[in-house]
Amino acid sequence: MSQPAFWPLTLILFLPAIVAFVLSLPIIPKAREELIRWIAVATTGVVFVISLIVAVPALGGFGGAMFSVGEPDMQLVVKMPWIDAFGIEYLLGVDGISMPLVVLTTFLSVLACAASWNISKHVKAYYVLFLLLETGMIGVFVSLDFFLFFVFWEAMLLPMYFLIGIWGGPRREYAAIKFFLYTLLGSAVMLLAMLMLYFNSDVTLLSDEQLVAAHVVSPQLQAAEQAAAIAELRASGSAVHSFNLLALAAIGQMPNSPFAIAKVFGMNLEVLAFLLLLIGFVIKVPVVPVHTWLPDAHVEAPTSISMILAGVLLKLGGYGIIRICYPICPGGGLELAWLVCGLGVVSMLYGAFAALAQKDFKRMVAYSSVSHMGYVMLGLGVWSAVAGREYAWESWAQGVNGAMFQMLAHGISSAGMFFMVGVLYDRVHHHNLDEFGGIFGRMPVYAGLAVTVFFAGLGLPGLCGFIGEVLVTLSAWNYSHVYAALSAFTVILTAGYILRAIQRVYLGAEYRGPHEEALTPLTRRELAIATPLVFLAVVFGVYPQSLFEYLTPSVNQQVETLATWTRDVHDAEAAVDAVQAARDAALEHVAANSGVSTP
């Protein structure tokens, strides 16, 4: 069976881990630090180039694998058996939601790897862990098997723990342990939800067409082979459990879904599973009140790791919600929409107010991430496709598209902001906002680039941060006028702390802190890292369609499908229950008046 995407996706996924394994061997001496750095940068560069060739049709594809822009379904699917006893597969694929995030990950990995050039302690170990971290992040975005997804989710934990705990600042051990414990808690509840869904799934409930569409049976087989595989599956005579995310979504959205029927602790399984998965994912987003690990991790982490943490790791939580929570547990998503939106609004406001109160430059940027990711939660949660609005899905799709755009734009602007803070820290070794000033006069090129990136984070029209925030706010209006007003108010708070930071750091007559003599112009390496981030912040702000042409087809298809589910399954069942309740009430009324008991 031909699978042209096997080698391209496998290389994108595992090349960093393979190089990390080779670097860990005593083939290259630890003393060859310069060579190790170049090998790591070259590896991340190759992975980025492959991902770009696959993602951009004009580049012709790689090894016969080419992403088709405008196609909403899952593409470039790779399917191979892995652990047959539990139906676990090496199942990979990308669509318009995951492909841009893969490219964002590989792109930021190149820049963060180059930003690690100043790392001088245990250089080989650092780059081995960095490359392993890249494999873990990419694996989450391309996995279509829930078990494989969870493996890569966990694979990120230890590299990030050590990257913060060994190469971080003075309180690095505390920050690393806090990050580890919070993430481990999220993983534990996610594992519980995953097992609940697995043991209540049964792919034999799906139609033949659904089995093929979900890649339970490969579409690449001949018709006779597909029929034989389906017949063998149904001949088992018992439930066939699966970790296949596409199959789980199809099961979760079918009438009389086993996830909706099953009860756990008196709750519908799909509601409880949605809640557990949501906890696991929002810890990574993060949202209030499980956000406290983030500022500590950012402040103590090296600049390059802060770039990855803000630019990619926070997006994993939002991706998990849109890829797993809503498609597989739609009943939980509809019932708990108020919770998702509420968490988003609280995080937006709390993060903005907390950023206003900070005197530490890097901690201020960290809290800005909490606020900006609140927009993502609000956009994902505004389930306005309900009976009262005639199941119109366009407004909700606008919010989800805005949330996805916000994730990508924040990946660019937040990585840029943390890099710009790191450039100053490398020179003057402090983050105190009260001890900066006059940077424009001493480092004009750096200051110009930095102010552009911070304006992108502010949401200035014409830069990347504006589009997502506006779409989410407009979408929220059709769900709750209050949420929309609070979302718009947060923009004012964001302008407040961003402009305050720019005034204190870059403007003013003179620098007020220590190491004034170290304020030298950007090096060529620093300029090479900062320029692409500023360039993309402008491009995505001026031409957002370059991202929407990837995002919109897949997002719209998912949202329209869930709107149809709301009308045809959820509300249809509610109507039947209402009719039955009315019938029972009528019978009781007749019995009461006639004095005859009803059966």
Side-chain angles (χ1 to χ4, degrees), residues 396-540:
W396 185 21
Q398 184 182 55
V400 180
N401 276 295
M404 284 299 306
F405 193 96
Q406 175 74 354
M407 284 204 289
L408 295 164
H410 181 259
I412 298 297
S413 63
S414 65
M417 287 191 287
F418 278 110
F419 177 71
M420 294 305 181
V421 173
V423 167
L424 284 183
Y425 183 79
D426 288 341
R427 286 160 170 75
V428 299
H429 307 296
H430 75 86
H431 298 136
N432 191 345
L433 284 170
D434 294 331
E435 294 185 351
F436 283 112
I439 301 298
F440 239 121
R442 292 180 171 273
M443 304 171 66
V445 174
Y446 159 78
L449 294 172
V451 168
T452 304
V453 168
F454 275 93
F455 275 139
L458 183 151
L460 188 72
L463 296 174
C464 63
F466 174 73
I467 307 298
E469 293 178 3
V470 168
L471 290 179
V472 169
T473 302
L474 292 175
S475 175
W477 182 261
N478 288 321
Y479 182 82
S480 167
H481 293 356
V482 174
Y483 284 171
L486 293 174
S487 175
F489 177 65
T490 305
V491 175
I492 301 173
L493 297 177
T494 303
Y497 65 74
I498 293 290
L499 293 175
R500 170 178 170 269
I502 291 174
Q503 186 272 329
R504 290 193 175 193
V505 175
Y506 300 106
L507 304 180
E510 60 182 13
Y511 174 73
R512 300 184 295 274
H515 307 294
E516 183 178 357
E517 71 286 350
L519 293 172
T520 55
L522 287 175
T523 65
R524 284 181 296 179
R525 177 182 60 85
E526 292 169 337
L527 189 61
I529 297 168
T531 302
L533 292 169
V534 174
F535 174 76
L536 289 179
V538 175
V539 168
F540 293 153

Side-chain angles (χ1 to χ4, degrees), residues 199-211:
F199 285 111
N200 283 276
S201 65
D202 182 6
V203 295
T204 62
L205 298 174
L206 302 177
S207 67
D208 293 357
E209 293 77 12
Q210 286 177 314
L211 290 173

Side-chain angles (χ1 to χ4, degrees), residues 211-240:
L211 290 173
V212 175
H215 294 270
V216 176
V217 174
S218 177
Q220 295 175 329
L221 294 173
Q222 298 295 325
E225 295 174 316
Q226 286 183 1
I230 292 171
E232 182 182 355
L233 195 67
R234 300 195 187 284
S236 61
S238 60
V240 179

